[in-house]
Structure formats: structure tokens, C-alpha cells
Amino acid sequence: MSTGSDTSTPTPPMAVLATEVAALRPRMEAVSLAIHGRPELKFAEFHAQELLTDWLAEAGFTVQAPVGGVATAFAAVHQGSRPGPYVAVLAEYDALPGVGHGCGHNLIAAGAAAAAIAAVRALPDHPGTVAVLGTPGEEMGGAGKVLLAEAGVFDDVDAAMMFHPGDRSLTTRTGLAAAHLRIGFTGVSAHASISPWLGRSALAGAQLFLQAIDAMRQFVPPTVRLHGIVSDGGQAPNVVPAYAAVDLYVRDRTATSVEALLGRVRDAAEGAALATGTEAMVRETGPLYAERRDNLVLAERFGAAVRALGVEIRPGDPDSPAGSSDIGNLSRLLPVIHPYIQIADTGTPSHSGAMREAAATPLAHDRTQVAATGLARVVTELLTRPDLLAAARAEFAARAEAVG
Ligand SMILES: [Zn+2]
Ligand SMILES: [Zn+2]
């Protein structure tokens, strides 16, 4: 980590950054559409990884792929001519089962590369380090960022940033803590007609468990989200299922609250198992996603840049419904931002077919161009304004102190 005092380099004007990103638009759009057209699920994003690293290598970045022991991760690094801050732009590029790029990660990825390339082109003699870190497996509890952080990939990073497409433009937004669970029920198989009484249905255990979760819903705070699917309901109707499983997410405002709820979820599983003569096993399928702490200093710098480009953006209502991301875990380690840029009509749900279609439109790429310019602005400001990094760090430390 560097103290990064380099007051001799002026910050590039917005117009220069906008011109650089505009020049990258054709490649950015092509990469985005190529990723969109070939959706890859968590930790299988080899095509996206190749598209992004090829582009960044051509632009003069030193590419390491894989990195941190994650096959589809990468680090593309542009080393400056002298010491300074290490600023990372994060790229997500995984899709959703059945929905494809209904979260628009194709735009995040292409926009991240464009932002970093534009920043180093506008500031060829920059201090410090500019990197694009490819962080796969954000959906479905993959926790790619957590795996990379545990492997030390973020150890030297002073600040990290990304943008996310959505149905509104927000500099900050609540991100809930989330636990990702698989509750497996083990019963006894038997012929479902000749001798069902010799069996014990694991599916019955799973069903009763889901009913217990539904019964719990009224008796948890309104901020809690409990939602799941039957991920295994047996093999055939004429066999009493010996195994069944429910995949369940438990979310709330804080990791502390989620951890407390896990005890009640375990009790519900035990109760359902007892009632159905089965056995339940509750397992976390990945790391708990922590709640998000957007760095307010850097979020406002991004907001100012986006507004200067003519797009309205404001802080999110902290009480609005929210999802979760592994950026939350990173936000406990270093200053990060995760702003949103509107690419679809307000009210368009994320993780939907409508958002998938929106993520491939000219408007989506216009807005990604704006977001990439905004990120390039924050990157170059961090490299050239030691006071900004100091303020971001002070705010990070104050939040960490307040939350504990
Ligand atoms: Zn997403
Ligand atoms: Zn998503």
C-alpha cells in the first residue's frame, strides 16, 4: 500500500476522458455483446475472461490469468512510472441459469475494461497502478471476490470500484448480507405403491421445511428475505425419494442478523426432519455475503462525473429493497464503490428476461460509456489527488469504527 503523494500530475479533464472512452466504444460494445450472447455461469466464464484479457493485453496491460487460484479470474495491471496508489476497477461477467445476462454483467465487464484503458491513455505517465481485476462468480453465492481477497489479490489495492446496470441511477445503494444454504433431507427409498410404508420421504421433509420457513415469515423483521427452491425433489414418482434438497438464501441488513436467523432455519430443518422420519443437514454453500458499505467520498466523485455527462444520479434510499453482492465483503477491507447506472425503464426487475434484453441495447451501451467515463474519472482523480485518497480512507476508517 502506498501513501501516493504525487501532486505534480494534473487530473485529466473530463472532456479528455470522455473522448478516450468514446474511442473505445466500438470494442466495448463488441465485447459486451459477445459476452451477452454466450452467457456463462459462475466459475465457467472462460469465454468472457478471454475476450477481456485479450483486449487489455492489446491495450498494454500485463495480464495474469488465472489469478488467486480461481480459474476464470484475472488481473490486468498497468504499472505506472513511479510509486503511487493501486486503483482497481472490478469486472463481473457471470450470468444466471435460465435468464442469461439478466443482471447485465456483460456491461460491467466491458465498461470496466474501457474505464481502465481510458484512464491510462489519458494519463500515460501515471503514478501507481491501474488494474482491472476480473472477479467471476458473483451470482449464486460464488463469492469470487471473497476467494480472491483470501488469496491476497486485494492486499495492495488502495481503492476498488465498479458500476452495475439497473433500472435507476444511484451513487450508493443498500446491499443486504446473505447466507446461501443447502438443506439436504435424507430418507429411505421404497416402492411408492407396493410398500410406501417402508419408506421415508425426503421430499416430505423438504416440503415441510419450506412450510416452516413460510410460517416464520411473519415473525422476522420486514427487512429479512427468505427465499428458496427445491433443488432436488427425488428421481421418479414411483420411488419414495431417499434424498431431497432445498437451496435457500437468508438475507437481512447485517451479517450479524443473518447469522442469528440461521439458528431458526436450522431448527425448522430439524423439526421437519423429525416430523417426517428423515434426517436434515444444513450446509452453507459458500461464504456469507456481508452488507455493503459504499465509500461515500468516492461515490460522490463518481456522481459528480456522471452528472457532468448529463445523467441524473443520486444516493439510493437506504430503506429500498435490495439484493446482495460479494462487493460487501470487499467493502470491509478497503474503500469501494458500487454505483448503479440506469439502462432500463424504472421498475424493470433485475434477474429478468426484460433486463437481459435491456442489457444489449444501444441505450445500455450509451449508459455504460457514461459509467466507464465516470469510473475513469475516479481512477485518475485517485492517482493525482492524494487528498482524495486520504479522504476516502478517513471515511472508510470512520465507518469501520462506527459499525465495528
Ligand atoms: Zn449483478
Ligand atoms: Zn445479479
Side-chain angles (χ1 to χ4, degrees):
M1 196 170 284
S2 161
T3 51
S5 59
D6 189 334
T7 49
S8 60
T9 314
T11 310
M14 277 296 292
V16 171
L17 293 168
T19 303
E20 293 293 350
V21 175
L24 295 164
R25 166 70 180 258
R27 181 73 174 262
M28 182 192 84
E29 191 159 340
V31 167
S32 161
L33 291 174
I35 293 172
H36 190 272
R38 194 164 144 183
E40 299 168 301
L41 301 185
K42 65 172 179 178
F43 301 132
E45 315 97 324
F46 291 100
H47 180 236
Q49 179 194 44
E50 187 182 351
L51 288 166
L52 294 162
T53 53
D54 281 356
W55 183 18
L56 287 156
E58 281 171 38
F61 285 67
T62 304
V63 171
Q64 192 186 347
V67 70
V70 180
T72 53
F74 69 85
V77 175
H78 200 277
Q79 204 66 55
S81 56
R82 56 200 181 283
Y86 185 139
V87 184
V89 185
L90 307 182
E92 295 173 359
Y93 32 90
D94 57 335
L96 291 155
V99 188
H101 275 291
C103 208
H105 292 187
N106 56 302
L107 301 168
I108 298 175
I117 295 169
V120 303
R121 286 192 179 163
L123 208 55
D125 185 33
H126 68 84
T129 305
V130 178
V132 179
L133 299 178
T135 61
E138 186 275 329
E139 302 287 3
M140 300 158 64
K145 292 177 195 65
V146 179
L147 302 179
L148 296 182
E150 285 172 354
V153 172
F154 287 94
D155 284 359
D156 296 327
V157 178
D158 290 293
M161 67 193 75
M162 60 179 285
F163 83 98
H164 201 295
D167 72 333
R168 60 201 76 190
S169 297
L170 301 169
T171 51
T172 57
R173 189 177 195 177
T174 298
L176 300 177
H180 312 88
L181 307 175
R182 172 158 296 179
I183 300 92
F185 288 87
T186 306
V188 179
S189 63
H191 194 293
S193 178
I194 297 173
S195 55
W197 52 86
L198 297 179
R200 295 290 180 269
S201 171
L203 179 59
Q207 286 176 301
L208 198 53
F209 168 71
L210 281 172
Q211 289 186 22
I213 293 297
D214 282 339
M216 198 189 297
R217 224 176 279 286
Q218 189 185 346
F219 308 103
V220 296
T223 49
V224 171
R225 292 289 183 274
L226 298 160
H227 51 97
I229 59 165
V230 176
S231 50
D232 188 340
Q235 303 292 318
N238 59 351
V239 178
V240 173
Y243 182 77
V246 171
D247 284 6
L248 184 82
Y249 288 4
V250 179
R251 313 199 206 210
D252 198 5
R253 286 301 180 84
T254 66
T256 309
S257 165
V258 168
E259 276 158 3
L261 284 163
L262 293 186
R264 293 171 70 182
V265 170
R266 286 180 203 282
D267 287 347
E270 284 305 317
L274 189 64
T276 54
T278 59
E279 283 182 17
M281 198 178 78
V282 181
R283 157 174 95 77
E284 290 189 52
T285 55
L288 193 138
Y289 281 16
E291 66 272 22
R292 187 180 310 158
R293 294 177 200 160
D294 286 301
N295 189 274
L296 302 182
V297 172
L298 298 181
E300 189 37 47
R301 293 315 302 153
F302 179 84
V306 164
R307 270 178 228 116
L309 296 164
V311 173
E312 270 309 306
I313 187 167
R314 58 189 163 76
D317 174 357
D319 294 325
S320 287
S324 312
S325 166
D326 52 3
I327 194 87
N329 302 57
L330 273 194
S331 75
R332 293 178 161 192
L333 304 176
L334 67 158
V336 304
I337 56 169
H338 187 283
Y340 287 76
I341 284 283
Q342 183 170 15
I343 64 152
D345 291 341
T346 305
T348 306
S350 188
H351 290 195
S352 69
M355 189 60 83
R356 176 191 62 230
E357 300 313 313
T361 58
L363 172 70
H365 293 98
D366 289 347
R367 291 297 170 81
T368 298
Q369 194 175 328
V370 169
T373 308
L375 291 177
R377 175 66 172 180
V378 182
V379 170
T380 54
E381 285 192 317
L382 281 167
L383 293 176
T384 55
R385 286 185 47 195
D387 63 308
L388 182 62
L389 181 56
R393 281 180 174 158
E395 201 259 349
F396 172 80
R399 294 279 291 289
E401 174 90 2
V403 183

